[in-house]
mmCIF file of all heavy atoms in Angstrom:
data_model
loop_
_atom_site.group_PDB
_atom_site.id
_atom_site.type_symbol
_atom_site.label_atom_id
_atom_site.label_comp_id
_atom_site.label_asym_id
_atom_site.label_seq_id
_atom_site.Cartn_x
_atom_site.Cartn_y
_atom_site.Cartn_z
ATOM 1 N N ARG A 35 -6.826 -0.298 -48.656
ATOM 2 C CA ARG A 35 -6.262 0.925 -49.168
ATOM 3 C C ARG A 35 -5.456 0.555 -50.456
ATOM 4 O O ARG A 35 -5.661 1.133 -51.526
ATOM 5 C CB ARG A 35 -5.350 1.571 -48.125
ATOM 6 C CG ARG A 35 -4.588 2.793 -48.626
ATOM 7 C CD ARG A 35 -3.571 3.292 -47.576
ATOM 8 N NE ARG A 35 -2.516 2.396 -47.245
ATOM 9 C CZ ARG A 35 -1.439 2.199 -48.001
ATOM 10 N NH1 ARG A 35 -1.266 2.847 -49.122
ATOM 11 N NH2 ARG A 35 -0.512 1.360 -47.612
ATOM 12 N N GLN A 36 -4.550 -0.380 -50.355
ATOM 13 C CA GLN A 36 -3.708 -0.654 -51.456
ATOM 14 C C GLN A 36 -4.436 -1.271 -52.609
ATOM 15 O O GLN A 36 -4.241 -0.867 -53.791
ATOM 16 C CB GLN A 36 -2.509 -1.594 -51.003
ATOM 17 C CG GLN A 36 -1.620 -1.952 -52.223
ATOM 18 C CD GLN A 36 -0.287 -2.555 -51.819
ATOM 19 O OE1 GLN A 36 0.248 -2.219 -50.787
ATOM 20 N NE2 GLN A 36 0.190 -3.429 -52.603
ATOM 21 N N GLN A 39 -6.839 1.214 -54.285
ATOM 22 C CA GLN A 39 -6.100 2.267 -55.050
ATOM 23 C C GLN A 39 -5.515 1.686 -56.304
ATOM 24 O O GLN A 39 -5.420 2.337 -57.354
ATOM 25 C CB GLN A 39 -5.005 2.843 -54.130
ATOM 26 C CG GLN A 39 -5.571 3.729 -53.037
ATOM 27 C CD GLN A 39 -4.588 4.460 -52.181
ATOM 28 O OE1 GLN A 39 -3.387 4.433 -52.475
ATOM 29 N NE2 GLN A 39 -5.004 5.190 -51.223
ATOM 30 N N HIS A 40 -5.136 0.404 -56.201
ATOM 31 C CA HIS A 40 -4.597 -0.308 -57.378
ATOM 32 C C HIS A 40 -5.741 -0.447 -58.448
ATOM 33 O O HIS A 40 -5.555 -0.118 -59.586
ATOM 34 C CB HIS A 40 -4.055 -1.650 -56.963
ATOM 35 C CG HIS A 40 -3.259 -2.398 -57.932
ATOM 36 N ND1 HIS A 40 -2.516 -3.470 -57.587
ATOM 37 C CD2 HIS A 40 -3.118 -2.178 -59.280
ATOM 38 C CE1 HIS A 40 -1.927 -3.925 -58.725
ATOM 39 N NE2 HIS A 40 -2.290 -3.170 -59.767
ATOM 40 N N SER A 43 -6.407 2.822 -60.087
ATOM 41 C CA SER A 43 -5.308 3.107 -61.042
ATOM 42 C C SER A 43 -5.580 2.440 -62.382
ATOM 43 O O SER A 43 -5.366 2.997 -63.483
ATOM 44 C CB SER A 43 -3.972 2.630 -60.487
ATOM 45 O OG SER A 43 -3.678 3.194 -59.261
ATOM 46 N N GLU A 44 -6.032 1.218 -62.292
ATOM 47 C CA GLU A 44 -6.338 0.514 -63.568
ATOM 48 C C GLU A 44 -7.484 1.197 -64.326
ATOM 49 O O GLU A 44 -7.396 1.333 -65.515
ATOM 50 C CB GLU A 44 -6.755 -0.951 -63.277
ATOM 51 C CG GLU A 44 -5.607 -1.799 -62.593
ATOM 52 C CD GLU A 44 -4.550 -2.287 -63.562
ATOM 53 O OE1 GLU A 44 -4.686 -2.000 -64.794
ATOM 54 O OE2 GLU A 44 -3.582 -2.921 -63.108
ATOM 55 N N GLY A 47 -6.405 4.477 -65.396
ATOM 56 C CA GLY A 47 -5.320 4.258 -66.379
ATOM 57 C C GLY A 47 -5.812 3.940 -67.761
ATOM 58 O O GLY A 47 -5.032 3.991 -68.774
ATOM 59 N N MET A 48 -7.112 3.667 -67.910
ATOM 60 C CA MET A 48 -7.692 3.465 -69.255
ATOM 61 C C MET A 48 -7.801 4.765 -70.028
ATOM 62 O O MET A 48 -7.879 4.791 -71.250
ATOM 63 C CB MET A 48 -9.106 2.877 -69.127
ATOM 64 C CG MET A 48 -9.165 1.517 -68.475
ATOM 65 S SD MET A 48 -10.863 1.068 -68.059
ATOM 66 C CE MET A 48 -11.574 0.764 -69.719
ATOM 67 N N GLU A 51 -4.807 6.239 -72.524
ATOM 68 C CA GLU A 51 -4.678 5.436 -73.796
ATOM 69 C C GLU A 51 -5.966 5.478 -74.556
ATOM 70 O O GLU A 51 -5.941 5.455 -75.818
ATOM 71 C CB GLU A 51 -4.213 4.037 -73.473
ATOM 72 C CG GLU A 51 -2.806 4.000 -73.024
ATOM 73 C CD GLU A 51 -2.462 2.647 -72.356
ATOM 74 O OE1 GLU A 51 -3.013 2.291 -71.333
ATOM 75 O OE2 GLU A 51 -1.636 1.922 -72.963
ATOM 76 N N LYS A 70 -5.835 -3.900 -75.026
ATOM 77 C CA LYS A 70 -5.027 -3.493 -73.853
ATOM 78 C C LYS A 70 -5.928 -2.714 -72.924
ATOM 79 O O LYS A 70 -5.912 -2.965 -71.708
ATOM 80 C CB LYS A 70 -3.812 -2.680 -74.274
ATOM 81 C CG LYS A 70 -2.977 -2.210 -73.098
ATOM 82 C CD LYS A 70 -1.850 -1.325 -73.511
ATOM 83 C CE LYS A 70 -0.832 -1.088 -72.401
ATOM 84 N NZ LYS A 70 -1.270 -0.236 -71.352
ATOM 85 N N GLU A 74 -7.290 -3.531 -69.010
ATOM 86 C CA GLU A 74 -7.127 -2.697 -67.828
ATOM 87 C C GLU A 74 -8.478 -2.621 -67.034
ATOM 88 O O GLU A 74 -8.488 -2.644 -65.836
ATOM 89 C CB GLU A 74 -6.602 -1.309 -68.211
ATOM 90 C CG GLU A 74 -5.108 -1.336 -68.507
ATOM 91 C CD GLU A 74 -4.597 -0.344 -69.522
ATOM 92 O OE1 GLU A 74 -5.424 0.526 -69.906
ATOM 93 O OE2 GLU A 74 -3.444 -0.439 -69.946
ATOM 94 N N LYS A 105 -6.544 7.581 -53.406
ATOM 95 C CA LYS A 105 -5.524 7.891 -54.386
ATOM 96 C C LYS A 105 -5.593 6.939 -55.579
ATOM 97 O O LYS A 105 -6.257 5.859 -55.463
ATOM 98 C CB LYS A 105 -4.148 7.819 -53.797
ATOM 99 C CG LYS A 105 -3.891 8.833 -52.654
ATOM 100 C CD LYS A 105 -2.488 8.780 -52.283
ATOM 101 C CE LYS A 105 -2.019 9.923 -51.380
ATOM 102 N NZ LYS A 105 -2.365 9.747 -49.964
ATOM 103 N N TYR A 106 -4.982 7.313 -56.648
ATOM 104 C CA TYR A 106 -4.653 6.405 -57.741
ATOM 105 C C TYR A 106 -3.281 6.776 -58.231
ATOM 106 O O TYR A 106 -2.821 7.859 -57.936
ATOM 107 C CB TYR A 106 -5.721 6.396 -58.821
ATOM 108 C CG TYR A 106 -5.948 7.734 -59.512
ATOM 109 C CD1 TYR A 106 -5.132 8.158 -60.498
ATOM 110 C CD2 TYR A 106 -6.920 8.683 -58.998
ATOM 111 C CE1 TYR A 106 -5.336 9.426 -61.102
ATOM 112 C CE2 TYR A 106 -7.087 9.897 -59.543
ATOM 113 C CZ TYR A 106 -6.247 10.300 -60.611
ATOM 114 O OH TYR A 106 -6.405 11.576 -61.152
ATOM 115 N N SER A 107 -2.715 5.912 -59.075
ATOM 116 C CA SER A 107 -1.288 6.150 -59.407
ATOM 117 C C SER A 107 -1.053 7.545 -60.107
ATOM 118 O O SER A 107 -1.816 7.887 -61.012
ATOM 119 C CB SER A 107 -0.765 5.042 -60.302
ATOM 120 O OG SER A 107 0.608 5.299 -60.564
ATOM 121 N N SER A 108 -0.001 8.209 -59.620
ATOM 122 C CA SER A 108 0.348 9.540 -60.109
ATOM 123 C C SER A 108 0.543 9.517 -61.619
ATOM 124 O O SER A 108 0.249 10.508 -62.263
ATOM 125 C CB SER A 108 1.696 9.931 -59.434
ATOM 126 O OG SER A 108 2.616 8.863 -59.554
ATOM 127 N N ILE A 109 1.008 8.416 -62.195
ATOM 128 C CA ILE A 109 1.379 8.362 -63.556
ATOM 129 C C ILE A 109 0.245 8.714 -64.544
ATOM 130 O O ILE A 109 0.442 9.264 -65.624
ATOM 131 C CB ILE A 109 1.927 6.981 -63.965
ATOM 132 C CG1 ILE A 109 2.652 6.944 -65.341
ATOM 133 C CG2 ILE A 109 0.870 5.870 -63.913
ATOM 134 C CD1 ILE A 109 3.972 7.494 -65.370
ATOM 135 N N PHE A 110 -1.002 8.463 -64.104
ATOM 136 C CA PHE A 110 -2.133 8.687 -65.014
ATOM 137 C C PHE A 110 -2.610 10.124 -65.046
ATOM 138 O O PHE A 110 -3.628 10.404 -65.691
ATOM 139 C CB PHE A 110 -3.228 7.667 -64.743
ATOM 140 C CG PHE A 110 -2.713 6.231 -64.809
ATOM 141 C CD1 PHE A 110 -2.662 5.382 -63.719
ATOM 142 C CD2 PHE A 110 -2.149 5.753 -66.009
ATOM 143 C CE1 PHE A 110 -2.148 4.129 -63.772
ATOM 144 C CE2 PHE A 110 -1.629 4.453 -66.097
ATOM 145 C CZ PHE A 110 -1.628 3.633 -64.983
ATOM 146 N N ILE A 123 4.085 4.345 -72.930
ATOM 147 C CA ILE A 123 3.253 3.865 -71.785
ATOM 148 C C ILE A 123 3.394 2.351 -71.667
ATOM 149 O O ILE A 123 3.647 1.831 -70.608
ATOM 150 C CB ILE A 123 1.790 4.319 -71.942
ATOM 151 C CG1 ILE A 123 1.709 5.897 -71.633
ATOM 152 C CG2 ILE A 123 0.926 3.582 -70.883
ATOM 153 C CD1 ILE A 123 0.290 6.395 -71.784
ATOM 154 N N VAL A 127 5.396 2.326 -68.514
ATOM 155 C CA VAL A 127 4.418 2.354 -67.442
ATOM 156 C C VAL A 127 4.067 0.855 -67.133
ATOM 157 O O VAL A 127 3.993 0.433 -65.965
ATOM 158 C CB VAL A 127 3.186 3.166 -67.785
ATOM 159 C CG1 VAL A 127 2.160 3.067 -66.669
ATOM 160 C CG2 VAL A 127 3.618 4.619 -67.982
ATOM 161 N N ASP A 128 3.797 0.075 -68.179
ATOM 162 C CA ASP A 128 3.519 -1.371 -67.952
ATOM 163 C C ASP A 128 4.755 -2.059 -67.457
ATOM 164 O O ASP A 128 4.664 -2.969 -66.601
ATOM 165 C CB ASP A 128 2.960 -1.989 -69.189
ATOM 166 C CG ASP A 128 1.474 -1.577 -69.385
ATOM 167 O OD1 ASP A 128 0.573 -2.212 -68.771
ATOM 168 O OD2 ASP A 128 1.236 -0.561 -70.124
ATOM 169 N N ALA A 131 4.866 -1.285 -63.921
ATOM 170 C CA ALA A 131 3.770 -2.015 -63.246
ATOM 171 C C ALA A 131 4.189 -3.476 -62.998
ATOM 172 O O ALA A 131 3.965 -4.067 -61.959
ATOM 173 C CB ALA A 131 2.530 -1.883 -64.007
ATOM 174 N N ASN A 134 6.626 -4.087 -60.174
ATOM 175 C CA ASN A 134 5.960 -3.923 -58.910
ATOM 176 C C ASN A 134 4.998 -5.141 -58.634
ATOM 177 O O ASN A 134 4.741 -5.536 -57.489
ATOM 178 C CB ASN A 134 5.238 -2.557 -58.870
ATOM 179 C CG ASN A 134 4.263 -2.409 -57.780
ATOM 180 O OD1 ASN A 134 3.130 -2.861 -57.889
ATOM 181 N ND2 ASN A 134 4.654 -1.759 -56.706
ATOM 182 N N GLN A 135 4.385 -5.608 -59.743
ATOM 183 C CA GLN A 135 3.256 -6.526 -59.539
ATOM 184 C C GLN A 135 3.654 -8.022 -59.536
ATOM 185 O O GLN A 135 2.969 -8.857 -58.996
ATOM 186 C CB GLN A 135 2.205 -6.277 -60.587
ATOM 187 C CG GLN A 135 1.492 -4.965 -60.285
ATOM 188 C CD GLN A 135 0.541 -4.511 -61.367
ATOM 189 O OE1 GLN A 135 0.161 -5.327 -62.249
ATOM 190 N NE2 GLN A 135 0.151 -3.311 -61.304
ATOM 191 N N LEU A 138 3.860 -9.123 -56.234
ATOM 192 C CA LEU A 138 2.501 -9.160 -55.579
ATOM 193 C C LEU A 138 1.793 -10.440 -55.855
ATOM 194 O O LEU A 138 0.839 -10.771 -55.167
ATOM 195 C CB LEU A 138 1.645 -7.946 -56.015
ATOM 196 C CG LEU A 138 2.039 -6.593 -55.519
ATOM 197 C CD1 LEU A 138 1.232 -5.524 -56.186
ATOM 198 C CD2 LEU A 138 1.912 -6.499 -53.997
ATOM 199 N N TYR A 146 -5.796 -11.320 -53.461
ATOM 200 C CA TYR A 146 -4.975 -10.314 -54.116
ATOM 201 C C TYR A 146 -3.839 -11.036 -54.963
ATOM 202 O O TYR A 146 -3.692 -10.762 -56.106
ATOM 203 C CB TYR A 146 -4.366 -9.393 -53.081
ATOM 204 C CG TYR A 146 -3.725 -8.066 -53.673
ATOM 205 C CD1 TYR A 146 -4.009 -7.568 -54.909
ATOM 206 C CD2 TYR A 146 -2.811 -7.400 -52.831
ATOM 207 C CE1 TYR A 146 -3.433 -6.401 -55.322
ATOM 208 C CE2 TYR A 146 -2.197 -6.239 -53.341
ATOM 209 C CZ TYR A 146 -2.520 -5.724 -54.519
ATOM 210 O OH TYR A 146 -1.915 -4.538 -54.972
ATOM 211 N N GLU A 157 -0.178 -7.885 -68.444
ATOM 212 C CA GLU A 157 0.712 -6.703 -68.447
ATOM 213 C C GLU A 157 1.990 -7.003 -69.250
ATOM 214 O O GLU A 157 2.572 -6.084 -69.860
ATOM 215 C CB GLU A 157 1.223 -6.359 -67.046
ATOM 216 C CG GLU A 157 0.166 -5.964 -66.000
ATOM 217 C CD GLU A 157 -0.446 -4.598 -66.239
ATOM 218 O OE1 GLU A 157 -0.449 -4.095 -67.364
ATOM 219 O OE2 GLU A 157 -0.941 -3.996 -65.246
ATOM 220 N N MET A 195 8.809 7.634 -60.786
ATOM 221 C CA MET A 195 8.067 8.046 -59.537
ATOM 222 C C MET A 195 6.957 7.064 -59.238
ATOM 223 O O MET A 195 6.509 7.075 -58.076
ATOM 224 C CB MET A 195 7.436 9.478 -59.832
ATOM 225 C CG MET A 195 8.387 10.552 -59.873
ATOM 226 S SD MET A 195 7.515 12.103 -60.293
ATOM 227 C CE MET A 195 8.892 13.146 -60.805
ATOM 228 N N MET A 196 6.500 6.273 -60.206
ATOM 229 C CA MET A 196 5.398 5.340 -59.905
ATOM 230 C C MET A 196 5.690 4.433 -58.695
ATOM 231 O O MET A 196 4.787 3.952 -58.050
ATOM 232 C CB MET A 196 5.218 4.381 -61.080
ATOM 233 C CG MET A 196 4.251 4.925 -62.130
ATOM 234 S SD MET A 196 4.178 3.691 -63.531
ATOM 235 C CE MET A 196 3.117 2.490 -62.916
ATOM 236 N N PHE A 197 6.980 4.156 -58.477
ATOM 237 C CA PHE A 197 7.315 3.171 -57.361
ATOM 238 C C PHE A 197 7.078 3.787 -56.018
ATOM 239 O O PHE A 197 7.245 3.080 -54.968
ATOM 240 C CB PHE A 197 8.774 2.755 -57.552
ATOM 241 C CG PHE A 197 8.971 1.961 -58.779
ATOM 242 C CD1 PHE A 197 9.334 2.510 -59.990
ATOM 243 C CD2 PHE A 197 8.727 0.565 -58.753
ATOM 244 C CE1 PHE A 197 9.457 1.770 -61.171
ATOM 245 C CE2 PHE A 197 8.833 -0.189 -59.902
ATOM 246 C CZ PHE A 197 9.263 0.392 -61.119
ATOM 247 N N GLY A 198 6.754 5.103 -55.980
ATOM 248 C CA GLY A 198 6.454 5.641 -54.686
ATOM 249 C C GLY A 198 7.644 6.376 -54.053
ATOM 250 O O GLY A 198 8.757 6.348 -54.598
ATOM 251 N N PRO A 199 7.462 7.006 -52.852
ATOM 252 C CA PRO A 199 8.548 7.725 -52.225
ATOM 253 C C PRO A 199 9.717 6.850 -51.891
ATOM 254 O O PRO A 199 9.639 5.637 -51.843
ATOM 255 C CB PRO A 199 7.879 8.244 -50.951
ATOM 256 C CG PRO A 199 6.605 7.434 -50.740
ATOM 257 C CD PRO A 199 6.211 6.983 -52.042
ATOM 258 N N ASN A 203 11.114 7.526 -46.658
ATOM 259 C CA ASN A 203 10.002 8.464 -46.684
ATOM 260 C C ASN A 203 8.671 7.727 -46.977
ATOM 261 O O ASN A 203 7.697 8.365 -47.437
ATOM 262 C CB ASN A 203 10.257 9.582 -47.656
ATOM 263 C CG ASN A 203 9.667 10.852 -47.346
ATOM 264 O OD1 ASN A 203 9.166 11.017 -46.181
ATOM 265 N ND2 ASN A 203 9.659 11.805 -48.255
ATOM 266 N N SER A 204 8.722 6.433 -46.731
ATOM 267 C CA SER A 204 7.544 5.588 -47.138
ATOM 268 C C SER A 204 6.852 5.071 -45.858
ATOM 269 O O SER A 204 7.316 4.039 -45.331
ATOM 270 C CB SER A 204 8.027 4.463 -48.007
ATOM 271 O OG SER A 204 7.109 3.410 -48.060
ATOM 272 N N PRO A 205 5.877 5.751 -45.287
ATOM 273 C CA PRO A 205 5.332 5.416 -44.009
ATOM 274 C C PRO A 205 4.768 4.011 -43.934
ATOM 275 O O PRO A 205 4.702 3.385 -42.854
ATOM 276 C CB PRO A 205 4.252 6.485 -43.798
ATOM 277 C CG PRO A 205 3.945 7.060 -45.084
ATOM 278 C CD PRO A 205 5.198 6.911 -45.905
ATOM 279 N N ASN A 206 4.238 3.468 -45.066
ATOM 280 C CA ASN A 206 3.560 2.171 -44.995
ATOM 281 C C ASN A 206 4.542 1.018 -45.113
ATOM 282 O O ASN A 206 4.107 -0.184 -44.857
ATOM 283 C CB ASN A 206 2.521 2.119 -46.039
ATOM 284 C CG ASN A 206 1.457 3.191 -45.877
ATOM 285 O OD1 ASN A 206 0.808 3.269 -44.902
ATOM 286 N ND2 ASN A 206 1.384 4.080 -46.845
ATOM 287 N N SER A 207 5.728 1.199 -45.614
ATOM 288 C CA SER A 207 6.561 0.141 -46.017
ATOM 289 C C SER A 207 6.916 -0.909 -44.975
ATOM 290 O O SER A 207 6.759 -2.110 -45.150
ATOM 291 C CB SER A 207 7.848 0.617 -46.712
ATOM 292 O OG SER A 207 7.579 0.893 -48.053
ATOM 293 N N SER A 210 4.075 -3.149 -44.017
ATOM 294 C CA SER A 210 3.684 -3.936 -45.175
ATOM 295 C C SER A 210 4.679 -5.007 -45.543
ATOM 296 O O SER A 210 4.301 -6.084 -46.033
ATOM 297 C CB SER A 210 3.397 -3.061 -46.413
ATOM 298 O OG SER A 210 2.196 -2.330 -46.204
ATOM 299 N N LYS A 216 4.006 -6.334 -49.125
ATOM 300 C CA LYS A 216 5.079 -5.912 -50.061
ATOM 301 C C LYS A 216 6.263 -6.878 -49.871
ATOM 302 O O LYS A 216 6.586 -7.187 -48.707
ATOM 303 C CB LYS A 216 5.532 -4.491 -49.718
ATOM 304 C CG LYS A 216 4.616 -3.396 -50.193
ATOM 305 C CD LYS A 216 4.917 -2.075 -49.609
ATOM 306 C CE LYS A 216 5.624 -1.148 -50.541
ATOM 307 N NZ LYS A 216 5.621 0.222 -50.149
ATOM 308 N N ASN A 220 10.121 0.131 -52.151
ATOM 309 C CA ASN A 220 9.952 1.063 -53.278
ATOM 310 C C ASN A 220 11.293 1.248 -54.072
ATOM 311 O O ASN A 220 11.353 1.196 -55.251
ATOM 312 C CB ASN A 220 9.420 2.420 -52.874
ATOM 313 C CG ASN A 220 8.028 2.274 -52.188
ATOM 314 O OD1 ASN A 220 7.432 1.193 -52.110
ATOM 315 N ND2 ASN A 220 7.475 3.408 -51.673
ATOM 316 N N PHE A 266 6.220 15.044 -57.743
ATOM 317 C CA PHE A 266 5.442 13.835 -57.328
ATOM 318 C C PHE A 266 4.376 14.296 -56.296
ATOM 319 O O PHE A 266 3.172 13.959 -56.468
ATOM 320 C CB PHE A 266 6.394 12.843 -56.718
ATOM 321 C CG PHE A 266 5.718 11.603 -56.134
ATOM 322 C CD1 PHE A 266 5.202 10.609 -56.960
ATOM 323 C CD2 PHE A 266 5.576 11.499 -54.762
ATOM 324 C CE1 PHE A 266 4.551 9.488 -56.381
ATOM 325 C CE2 PHE A 266 4.941 10.411 -54.211
ATOM 326 C CZ PHE A 266 4.459 9.391 -54.971
ATOM 327 N N VAL A 270 0.296 13.921 -56.641
ATOM 328 C CA VAL A 270 -0.425 13.090 -55.727
ATOM 329 C C VAL A 270 -1.511 13.956 -54.966
ATOM 330 O O VAL A 270 -2.589 13.504 -54.661
ATOM 331 C CB VAL A 270 0.434 12.347 -54.766
ATOM 332 C CG1 VAL A 270 -0.318 11.553 -53.709
ATOM 333 C CG2 VAL A 270 1.362 11.380 -55.502
HETATM 334 N N1 FAQ B 1 0.899 7.516 -56.946
HETATM 335 O O1 FAQ B 1 4.172 4.428 -47.813
HETATM 336 P P1 FAQ B 1 4.115 4.365 -49.300
HETATM 337 C C1 FAQ B 1 -0.698 0.171 -63.583
HETATM 338 C C2 FAQ B 1 1.186 7.073 -51.937
HETATM 339 S S1 FAQ B 1 -1.244 0.047 -61.966
HETATM 340 C C3 FAQ B 1 0.033 7.995 -56.028
HETATM 341 O O2 FAQ B 1 5.317 3.917 -49.997
HETATM 342 P P2 FAQ B 1 2.613 1.939 -50.098
HETATM 343 C C4 FAQ B 1 -1.270 -0.724 -64.628
HETATM 344 C C5 FAQ B 1 0.699 5.866 -51.146
HETATM 345 O O3 FAQ B 1 -0.565 5.363 -51.582
HETATM 346 C C6 FAQ B 1 -0.305 1.255 -61.108
HETATM 347 N N2 FAQ B 1 0.229 7.793 -54.728
HETATM 348 O O4 FAQ B 1 2.816 3.504 -49.759
HETATM 349 C C7 FAQ B 1 -1.514 0.053 -65.853
HETATM 350 C C8 FAQ B 1 0.699 6.431 -49.724
HETATM 351 O O5 FAQ B 1 -0.430 7.188 -49.474
HETATM 352 P P3 FAQ B 1 -1.679 6.619 -48.581
HETATM 353 C C9 FAQ B 1 -0.692 1.176 -59.682
HETATM 354 C C10 FAQ B 1 1.341 7.092 -54.407
HETATM 355 O O6 FAQ B 1 1.278 1.720 -50.365
HETATM 356 C C11 FAQ B 1 -0.430 0.311 -66.725
HETATM 357 C C12 FAQ B 1 1.883 7.410 -49.743
HETATM 358 O O7 FAQ B 1 2.067 7.708 -51.111
HETATM 359 N N3 FAQ B 1 -0.043 0.083 -59.049
HETATM 360 O O8 FAQ B 1 0.164 0.897 -63.723
HETATM 361 C C13 FAQ B 1 2.249 6.553 -55.315
HETATM 362 O O9 FAQ B 1 3.386 1.102 -49.122
HETATM 363 C C14 FAQ B 1 -0.693 1.057 -67.873
HETATM 364 C C15 FAQ B 1 3.152 6.864 -49.104
HETATM 365 O O10 FAQ B 1 3.674 5.784 -49.870
HETATM 366 C C16 FAQ B 1 -0.327 -0.274 -57.768
HETATM 367 O O11 FAQ B 1 -1.229 0.300 -57.175
HETATM 368 C C17 FAQ B 1 2.004 6.865 -56.648
HETATM 369 N N4 FAQ B 1 2.842 6.468 -57.614
HETATM 370 O O12 FAQ B 1 3.469 1.817 -51.462
HETATM 371 C C18 FAQ B 1 -2.771 0.577 -66.117
HETATM 372 C C19 FAQ B 1 0.395 -1.471 -57.280
HETATM 373 N N5 FAQ B 1 3.206 5.932 -54.654
HETATM 374 O O13 FAQ B 1 -2.299 5.536 -49.390
HETATM 375 C C20 FAQ B 1 -2.964 1.296 -67.254
HETATM 376 C C21 FAQ B 1 -0.007 -1.760 -55.806
HETATM 377 C C22 FAQ B 1 2.925 6.043 -53.332
HETATM 378 O O14 FAQ B 1 -1.072 6.107 -47.273
HETATM 379 C C23 FAQ B 1 -1.899 1.545 -68.173
HETATM 380 N N6 FAQ B 1 0.447 -0.797 -54.867
HETATM 381 N N7 FAQ B 1 1.777 6.735 -53.130
HETATM 382 O O15 FAQ B 1 -2.601 7.820 -48.470
HETATM 383 C C24 FAQ B 1 1.688 -0.770 -54.343
HETATM 384 O O16 FAQ B 1 2.566 -1.608 -54.633
HETATM 385 C C25 FAQ B 1 1.979 0.287 -53.292
HETATM 386 O O17 FAQ B 1 0.713 0.788 -52.874
HETATM 387 C C26 FAQ B 1 2.893 1.420 -53.816
HETATM 388 C C27 FAQ B 1 3.029 2.457 -52.668
HETATM 389 C C28 FAQ B 1 4.252 0.884 -54.099
HETATM 390 C C29 FAQ B 1 2.301 2.133 -55.052
#
Side-chain angles (χ1 to χ4, degrees):
R35 175 183 66 78
Q36 178 166 326
Q39 292 186 1
H40 193 167
S43 303
E44 297 281 357
M48 297 167 73
E51 288 167 295
K70 178 184 193 287
E74 282 148 12
K105 294 189 168 83
Y106 58 86
S107 184
S108 50
I109 191 78
F110 302 117
I123 289 181
V127 177
D128 285 274
N134 165 277
Q135 290 172 14
L138 288 175
Y146 192 21
E157 298 287 26
M195 292 175 195
M196 272 177 80
F197 293 92
N203 209 9
S204 161
N206 300 300
S207 275
S210 288
K216 284 168 102 164
N220 299 357
F266 173 78
V270 174

